[in-house]
Amino acid sequence: MYRIGVIGGGTMGAGIAEVAARAGGDVLVLERDTDTAYLARARIARSLTRAVEAGKLARADDAADRIAVTTSLDDFADRDLVIEAAPEIEELKIEFFTKLDAIVTPEAVLATNTSSIPVIRLAGATANPGRVVGVHFFNPVPVLPLVEIVATLKTDRAVLDKVTSYARDVLGKRTIESKDQAGFIVNALLIPYLLAAIRMAESGFASIADIDEGMTAGCAHPMGPLRLADTIGLDVTLAIAESLYQEFREPHYAPPPLLRRMVDAGYLGRKTGHGFYTY
Ligand code: 3HC
């Protein structure tokens, strides 16, 4: 797997493109238009500069030169592996899978970085569901070492082995294997915890600062749950909670009203400058 395609150059897509290029791959990123393509490039460039400053990378240019951004899905015809990292909107992802299936070669692998949508629903949009697999990265992608690998009931064993080996041996990540249920392993555990913290803030039980301090100073988490929700994005947190609630119908997955109101208000966390904190 050398020619890698990434659908979407947002936080996750840019991170995935960066690690694939840093591992020596030829990377193509799909963006909507020239403005968002510019933003995706800027995101990647910022992170590469940070990696150089942190002493993790010798030269930013080498990796940056291996990343191209396009606005045409047809350019993905020669990709060995395509990782979809579009927004968490099922219809949008399904549309990409249907189109990609007709564009790439029969040997190409189609992966999704979805946080919570059952992968089989995306695989079902293709003529060859055996080549569709979940490959779920964690934010910030260049820093966090984990990739969750999700096989559907129809994923070919060879495809699973291929992407696991790519994540481990080429990208240098650690992998865990999850069944194809909403949230997989990590978000099924993480999201109820974040929602519990939001409910705590909503009820006035404790202040935002004290809830976060409780988990950083008391449990050695690198950031508290409300700052983490801001970092993930409150819209993404809400979308994952909705998928989990739809799948399991358990109250601890139900998004609290405060989360919905903040998303309605456009307070999406770090990326918009407003969330539980101001950035
Ligand atoms: N490339 C490579 N390395 C980088 C880098 C980059 N672009 N940017 C930073 N680093 C390195 C730094 O050099 C440092 O390495 P060191 O520990 O060896 O010195 C390390 O990464 C940490 O960087 P910083 O010191 O700049 O930052 P902090 O110490 O403040 O940590 C953080 C920031 C990594 C974001 C940390 O707070 C953290 O891990 N937070 C939790 C994040 C988390 O839980 N993410 C998961 C979200 S859930 C998810 O993504 C799933 C999705 O579906 C929602």
Side-chain angles (χ1 to χ4, degrees):
M1 287 177 163
Y2 168 69
R3 286 177 292 266
I4 310 299
V6 181
I7 305 294
T11 306
M12 297 306 286
I16 295 166
E18 179 187 335
V19 295
R22 281 166 67 170
D26 167 293
V27 183
L28 184 61
V29 179
L30 182 81
E31 259 304 338
R32 268 197 318 273
D33 52 44
T34 47
D35 287 350
T36 55
Y38 174 80
L39 291 176
R41 278 186 182 289
R43 227 170 254 131
I44 295 166
R46 256 198 318 275
S47 180
L48 285 171
T49 304
R50 200 158 160 216
V52 172
E53 285 166 2
K56 308 278 177 190
L57 184 68
R59 280 168 46 84
D61 291 355
D62 295 345
D65 289 349
R66 283 194 288 274
I67 302 174
V69 185
T70 178
T71 54
S72 167
L73 200 60
D74 290 333
D75 292 343
F76 281 61
D78 67 347
R79 300 290 101 183
D80 303 315
L81 165 67
V82 181
I83 304 174
E84 170 275 314
E88 276 308 88
I89 301 167
E90 194 168 322
E91 303 73 47
L92 180 68
K93 288 180 188 278
I94 284 177
E95 195 182 326
F96 276 125
F97 274 83
T98 307
K99 287 184 178 161
L100 275 168
D101 191 41
I103 289 171
V104 298
T105 64
E107 297 74 37
V109 171
L110 299 181
T112 176
N113 179 59
T114 180
S115 316
S116 59
I117 298 169
V119 179
I120 191 68
R121 296 210 202 127
L122 311 179
T126 70
N128 180 3
R131 64 154 142 189
V132 178
V133 64
V135 177
H136 182 219
F137 290 80
F138 293 84
N139 178 22
V141 179
V143 179
L144 293 192
L146 187 71
V147 175
E148 265 179 317
I149 309 280
V150 184
T152 74
L153 294 174
K154 290 187 165 173
T155 305
D156 291 341
R157 185 74 233 182
V159 166
L160 196 64
D161 291 345
K162 226 168 165 177
V163 292
T164 304
S165 156
Y166 176 73
R168 274 195 203 159
D169 306 332
V170 180
L171 301 184
K173 299 286 189 188
R174 283 149 66 171
T175 60
I176 54 176
E177 235 177 79
S178 167
K179 292 257 189 286
D180 186 21
Q181 289 193 341
F184 315 127
I185 297 171
V186 175
N187 280 330
L189 293 170
L190 176 66
I191 296 299
Y193 156 65
L194 300 186
L195 299 180
I198 295 170
R199 280 189 206 101
M200 227 180 220
E202 184 175 46
S203 71
F205 175 83
S207 71
I208 290 169
D210 281 359
I211 293 169
D212 276 357
E213 177 81 349
M215 296 311 289
T216 52
C219 293
H221 288 196
M223 46 172 69
L226 299 171
R227 194 174 287 284
L228 181 55
D230 273 0
T231 303
I232 291 171
L234 299 186
D235 52 340
V236 177
T237 304
L238 176 61
I240 302 172
E242 278 174 338
S243 290
L244 283 162
Y245 187 66
Q246 196 187 29
E247 178 100 322
F248 300 106
R249 298 284 165 192
E250 289 172 14
H252 62 286
Y253 291 127
L258 175 62
L259 177 61
R260 289 189 189 282
R261 285 307 84 75
M262 290 177 78
V263 172
D264 291 341
Y267 294 166
L268 306 185
R270 192 178 288 272
K271 62 187 161 192
T272 56
H274 288 278
F276 290 101
Y277 296 88
T278 303
Y279 299 89

